[in-house]
Amino acid sequence: MSQNQSEVKKQIEKRRTFAIISHPDAGKTTLTEKFLLYGGAINQAGSVKGKATARHAVSDWMEIEKERGISVTSSVLQFNYGGYCINILDTPGHQDFSEDTYRTLMAADSAVMVIDASKGVEAQTRKLFKVCTMRHIPIFTFINKMDREAMDTFELLEDIETELGIATCPVNWPIGSGKEFRGVYDRTGKKVELFSDTRKGTIQGEVKKLPLSSPELSGLISEGQREKLEEEIELLDGAGEEFSQELVSRGELSPVFFGSALTNFGVETFLQHFLLMTTPPLPRMSDKGWIDPAKEEAFSAFVFKIQANMNKAHRDRIAFMRICSGSFEAGMEVFHMQGGKKVRLSQPQQLMASERKMIEKAYGGDIIGVFDPGIFSIGDTLTTAGEKFSYEGIPTFAPEHFARVRQVDTMKRKQFIKGINQIAQEGAIQIFQEFNTGMEEIIVGVVGVLQFDVLKYRLENEYNVEIRMDSLPYEYIRWIDNADIDVGKITGTSDMKRVKDLKGRPLLLFVNEWSIRMTQERNDGLVLTEFAR
Ligand code: G4P
């Protein structure tokens, strides 16, 4: 192995690329900010937060964002900590939840699920969690806001197990909650970790680690807390799931940590344990079998997100790709599998804390954004490998909001069709047609309602087409997985609608879950799926 190759290998092994998933307000931004503080990437709280200010600098690319003070796009943050090079993929929440949020998870090697201790599992977490389980990637749980009144700890774990169907294994256990929150008990080290409260935003002060038997403890936690802790630990050791790295790696067991991102309780402990348990860049499936970054020396990457018109003056598009193997150098020539030709990857960018910067070099596990002259699509593979291969495509995720869309000026039909098709190709929206008719009626489906505004804005601004949207009552869409089925003969409910997607695949639209169940009951052998590959 050449010196260069061993350097690339070393760099890849250092990479830890993960996504943070949570329901809005559970504390994802606060936790990310604390990670960055530990990594020394920022030195002041508020650099990541402050959705109205700092985030704008990151993705200030559309008027909608400015008007609403939200970020339509997700970003990637890179920093170093403890000898690791960490890439955090941000999954946008709130109304800006979109297919990109799901796709970002396709680029991660593991996920950290942040849960609000007073609320337990919430809707958005449930949705994102499904994508993680589909990929069998490791999932870590950080139960946040322990400095507030929390649900009972055992109840929280049960909630995760029943709501998400994953076994849990607490790595540490909280001592008190709310004003009484003192710290956590580390089950492996068998030590109580007590954190001194810190001013908001600074790195935590001293962490005291004491065995449960230590006399010093009595002045720090109440007698009642010590007794309760002893009881709970005994219960847990006797009845809880044992830790198994193998199950964690397969995504079947979630290690659970407790803390408070805001007051910095348990954050660094979590980060340290997490880095030991999570995975370096994982092998990925291709049409030539698994491509393992530890073995494949050539550069390879796949596009998971395309962001158009980030800079209005230039009408540019940036293709975000996850590097899966080898290394990348600015301006390098790679083979674009789907385009069938070589392309030069120019203007590579990476996000460091809240700044976008040009990069010279990147490695397997990293995410880069490159200038896209309009040739890339979501899921495309780029590689320098002699024996070429394509990575498995990114599934299409089921939209949850639908509208019938028409252009206002009938003379502009051509621009309208062109624009809406291009936007659909970028993956910002999905378009469907009536099953039996032609292009006349266009139904747009989106994962997050904000995408409707994005569509309207972009059609007006980029294609000069005004549109009318009539929202439809459907909330569920299912692809039909049976190869030989007469779609017209499916006996559905009266509110069911038959449509087809851009690839001509048949789908069914439903108003509620009851209709899906009824349709399934009435049609023996009918296979309906939520993701389309
Ligand atoms: P998100 O990215 O998941 O949407 O959540 P974010 O970090 O923005 O946190 C949402 C709110 O919860 C913020 O309060 C934040 O300060 C608070 N928070 C986060 N972690 C903790 C925690 O461990 N304990 C407590 N008590 N609160 C926490 P906010 O009032 O909306 O914003 P701000 O005024 O603090 O900026």
Side-chain angles (χ1 to χ4, degrees):
M1 195 185 283
S2 72
Q3 205 190 342
N4 184 37
Q5 279 163 3
S6 72
E7 169 62 17
V8 172
K9 214 170 162 209
K10 227 169 69 195
Q11 288 289 342
I12 295 178
E13 275 165 12
K14 269 171 59 174
R15 262 53 188 176
R16 297 291 183 274
T17 304
F18 64 95
I20 305 192
I21 61 176
S22 74
H23 191 80
D25 285 335
K28 190 181 57 171
T29 316
T30 313
L31 187 67
T32 306
E33 182 177 275
K34 294 294 148 72
F35 286 166
L36 294 178
L37 278 169
Y38 287 118
I42 55 168
N43 51 25
Q44 203 190 330
S47 309
V48 180
K49 256 204 82 58
K51 287 162 191 162
T53 53
R55 275 214 180 160
H56 261 169
V58 180
S59 53
D60 183 4
W61 67 287
M62 270 178 70
E63 294 302 319
I64 295 177
E65 284 191 333
K66 276 193 225 148
E67 279 164 22
R68 304 197 179 180
I70 51 162
S71 128
V72 180
T73 53
S74 51
S75 49
V76 186
L77 303 163
Q78 189 180 64
F79 66 99
N80 293 297
Y81 176 86
Y84 297 98
C85 177
I86 299 164
N87 292 306
I88 304 184
L89 302 167
D90 181 24
T91 49
H94 299 262
Q95 318 94 299
D96 47 346
F97 189 85
S98 73
E99 270 207 281
D100 274 347
T101 315
Y102 287 132
R103 289 189 196 115
T104 300
L105 286 175
M106 303 304 288
D109 293 312
S110 66
V112 168
M113 177 163 77
V114 182
I115 287 176
D116 183 331
S118 66
K119 301 205 170 120
V121 176
E122 295 175 87
Q124 207 124 298
T125 313
R126 213 171 289 134
K127 281 196 213 171
L128 291 165
F129 182 85
K130 273 192 200 164
V131 184
C132 298
T133 49
M134 177 186 85
R135 292 195 51 218
H136 305 288
I137 57 172
I139 300 163
F140 297 81
T141 307
F142 184 80
I143 299 190
N144 192 32
K145 303 201 185 180
M146 287 304 297
D147 60 309
R148 290 229 191 116
E149 284 317 311
M151 277 166 67
D152 173 74
T153 318
F154 285 105
E155 250 175 63
L156 272 164
L157 296 181
E158 206 180 299
D159 186 45
I160 297 170
E161 304 209 346
T162 50
E163 284 282 331
L164 305 175
I166 188 171
T168 58
C169 173
V171 176
N172 56 34
W173 195 258
I175 305 168
S177 71
K179 286 199 182 69
E180 302 303 316
F181 183 50
R182 292 287 169 270
V184 294
Y185 174 75
D186 176 12
R187 293 181 66 207
T188 5
K190 297 202 184 315
K191 291 230 167 75
V192 172
E193 294 185 3
L194 300 163
F195 308 95
S196 57
D197 203 346
T198 55
R199 276 163 298 140
K200 195 175 168 183
T202 54
I203 292 188
Q204 73 193 22
E206 207 189 339
V207 182
K208 253 200 168 94
K209 295 188 185 183
L210 299 167
L212 249 179
S213 55
S214 165
E216 213 189 314
L217 210 57
S218 50
L220 301 165
I221 67 172
S222 72
E223 204 40 48
Q225 281 184 320
R226 187 210 289 259
E227 273 169 25
K228 185 164 184 265
L229 179 65
E230 277 170 351
E231 265 170 39
E232 288 178 336
I233 295 300
E234 205 181 300
L235 204 67
L236 210 57
D237 287 348
E241 188 90 26
E242 256 182 67
F243 179 79
S244 149
Q245 181 62 49
E246 203 189 319
L247 290 181
V248 172
S249 301
R250 288 210 303 260
E252 289 169 21
L253 178 69
S254 180
V256 180
F257 301 79
F258 295 85
S260 155
L262 188 68
T263 54
N264 242 334
F265 271 37
V267 176
E268 193 166 27
T269 300
F270 168 62
L271 186 60
Q272 287 163 346
H273 279 89
F274 163 72
L275 288 169
L276 290 174
M277 293 176 190
T278 190
T279 169
L282 289 171
R284 300 232 161 204
M285 194 45 138
S286 79
D287 56 354
K288 298 272 159 60
W290 290 96
I291 307 293
D292 186 348
K295 296 189 190 121
E296 176 61 65
E297 284 168 8
F299 164 87
S300 68
F302 69 89
V303 177
F304 68 95
K305 185 172 98 172
I306 290 175
Q307 200 167 302
N309 298 6
M310 293 174 78
N311 179 343
K312 218 178 161 200
H314 299 110
R315 291 199 137 217
D316 58 355
R317 299 210 318 177
I318 301 284
F320 286 92
M321 51 188 80
R322 150 81 198 226
I323 305 179
C324 301
S325 68
S327 66
F328 167 85
E329 263 168 63
M332 102 192 235
E333 264 204 343
V334 302
F335 194 81
H336 174 214
M337 294 300 293
Q338 283 70 13
K341 61 177 174 210
K342 275 194 174 171
V343 292
R344 192 176 294 281
L345 300 181
S346 55
Q347 297 178 16
Q349 311 178 348
Q350 203 167 39
L351 288 170
M352 184 72 128
S354 55
E355 280 162 40
R356 191 176 288 283
K357 64 163 191 157
M358 294 304 240
I359 50 150
E360 289 300 319
K361 230 170 154 60
Y363 300 89
D366 288 342
I367 310 295
I368 52 167
V370 302
F371 174 72
D372 171 21
I375 55 174
F376 299 129
S377 297
I378 305 276
D380 284 6
T381 300
L382 297 121
T383 181
T384 56
E387 196 196 337
K388 300 185 181 67
F389 57 83
S390 294
Y391 282 110
E392 215 175 45
I394 292 183
T396 309
F397 300 97
E400 291 172 21
H401 308 275
F402 299 87
R404 205 182 293 280
V405 181
R406 276 179 291 131
Q407 79 279 15
V408 172
D409 180 353
T410 46
M411 300 296 283
K412 293 206 170 147
R413 180 79 184 162
K414 242 172 122 178
Q415 283 110 297
F416 169 65
I417 296 294
K418 183 178 163 212
I420 205 160
N421 270 295
Q422 275 184 1
I423 294 168
Q425 263 163 28
E426 282 168 23
I429 55 160
Q430 290 179 45
I431 52 182
F432 307 97
Q433 290 166 258
E434 297 276 343
F435 193 71
N436 294 316
T437 59
M439 239 355 222
E440 292 308 310
E441 288 249 275
I442 292 188
I443 296 168
V444 171
V446 294
V447 168
V449 281
L450 186 74
Q451 295 310 112
F452 282 137
D453 294 356
V454 171
L455 172 70
K456 192 168 164 53
Y457 178 90
R458 290 192 53 190
L459 280 173
E460 276 171 21
N461 283 271
E462 293 166 34
Y463 300 91
N464 200 18
V465 179
E466 219 183 303
I467 55 165
R468 255 199 67 171
M469 271 190 275
D470 300 307
S471 68
L472 295 167
Y474 309 104
E475 284 183 25
Y476 300 88
I477 190 163
R478 293 291 180 267
W479 278 267
I480 300 168
D481 225 18
N482 311 63
D484 46 357
I485 197 158
D486 185 343
V487 179
K489 291 220 174 102
I490 294 173
T491 335
T493 49
S494 59
D495 52 15
M496 181 189 90
K497 189 172 180 67
R498 296 172 180 83
V499 293
K500 61 185 175 194
D501 65 12
L502 270 181
K503 293 183 178 156
R505 292 178 293 203
L507 298 112
L508 302 175
L509 289 175
F510 299 98
V511 173
N512 51 40
E513 288 192 73
W514 178 85
S515 301
I516 304 178
R517 275 198 304 279
M518 283 312 287
T519 307
Q520 225 144 13
E521 271 170 31
R522 287 176 188 168
N523 300 271
D524 206 19
L526 179 69
V527 185
L528 301 176
T529 65
E530 265 182 84
F531 310 108
R533 288 193 180 273

